[in-house]
Amino acid sequence: MTGVRVLAALIMTAACGGVGYSAARTQTRRRRALAELGQAVDRLEINMLEQRLPLAEALRRAGHPLFERAAKGLDELPPEESLRRAAEELSARMGPLDALTRDDMTAIHHLAGELGRYDAHRQRLLLHETRGELRALEEQAARQAAEKNRLYVSLGALGGLMLSAALI
């Protein structure tokens, strides 16, 4: 019977460590999502300001689900509303942007409110400002991921050990 308890304790410790690892992955997913979004903003700038594509085509070619979804919505909605709705839909649970925080979404909403409204110079400033915000958020996410990854995995394993000790 003791062998079964030890085996159960080991399984429980591993399972709790896995839960901690899963929580830690959210931090890594956030950093990755911000990096991908920043790269898409760079491509959007090239599409809009260097290739001078219409907004819908520039969004489609930016290569990010957020901008692709926003481009589809332009038929029915103004750019700011289309981009906001796309962000809300994609940030739903299990969506490509579900790991983003409220601050991250604020940067997207700021971009949405101004995109396509002004001349090329102001659009360039807006896109550079957005990219700067996304870089700062990405760096913050990387720092938090490094700190919290170890913490969450350790806490998960420790919780599993405590449960195991209670079992044995």
Side-chain angles (χ1 to χ4, degrees), residues 17-102:
V19 169
Y21 178 75
S22 176
R25 281 187 43 94
T26 299
Q27 297 298 316
T28 303
R29 283 187 17 251
R30 176 180 175 235
R31 187 204 52 76
R32 189 176 313 122
L34 288 166
E36 290 170 358
L37 197 52
Q39 292 166 357
V41 168
D42 287 342
R43 288 188 299 270
L44 181 61
E45 179 181 356
I46 291 167
N47 294 342
M48 286 178 66
L49 303 174
E50 292 177 20
Q51 295 180 356
R52 299 195 184 274
L53 295 174
L55 182 57
E57 187 62 23
L59 287 167
R60 247 188 297 289
R61 291 188 184 186
H64 192 279
L66 172 66
F67 296 134
E68 291 168 3
R69 176 96 38 110
K72 289 177 186 173
L74 286 178
D75 295 335
E76 304 165 3
L77 301 168
E80 62 270 11
E81 186 60 30
S82 179
L83 194 54
R84 279 194 182 106
R85 277 201 190 167
E88 287 173 14
E89 291 170 9
L90 295 175
S91 63
R93 185 147 174 84
M94 303 304 286
L97 302 179
D98 72 338
L100 298 185
T101 66
R102 185 171 297 154

Side-chain angles (χ1 to χ4, degrees), residues 67-146:
F67 296 134
E68 291 168 3
R69 176 96 38 110
K72 289 177 186 173
L74 286 178
D75 295 335
E76 304 165 3
L77 301 168
E80 62 270 11
E81 186 60 30
S82 179
L83 194 54
R84 279 194 182 106
R85 277 201 190 167
E88 287 173 14
E89 291 170 9
L90 295 175
S91 63
R93 185 147 174 84
M94 303 304 286
L97 302 179
D98 72 338
L100 298 185
T101 66
R102 185 171 297 154
D103 289 339
D104 303 338
M105 295 305 289
T106 299
I108 294 170
H109 289 305
H110 175 71
L111 174 65
E114 305 290 323
L115 191 64
R117 286 189 170 185
Y118 303 110
D119 64 4
H121 176 70
R122 288 188 62 187
Q123 290 298 297
R124 189 177 305 278
L125 291 175
L126 170 68
L127 292 167
H128 279 265
E129 180 182 327
T130 300
R131 182 60 175 128
E133 288 178 43
L134 291 172
R135 276 195 183 118
L137 290 166
E138 181 186 348
E139 289 170 7
Q140 175 194 43
R143 282 192 307 276
Q144 287 178 345

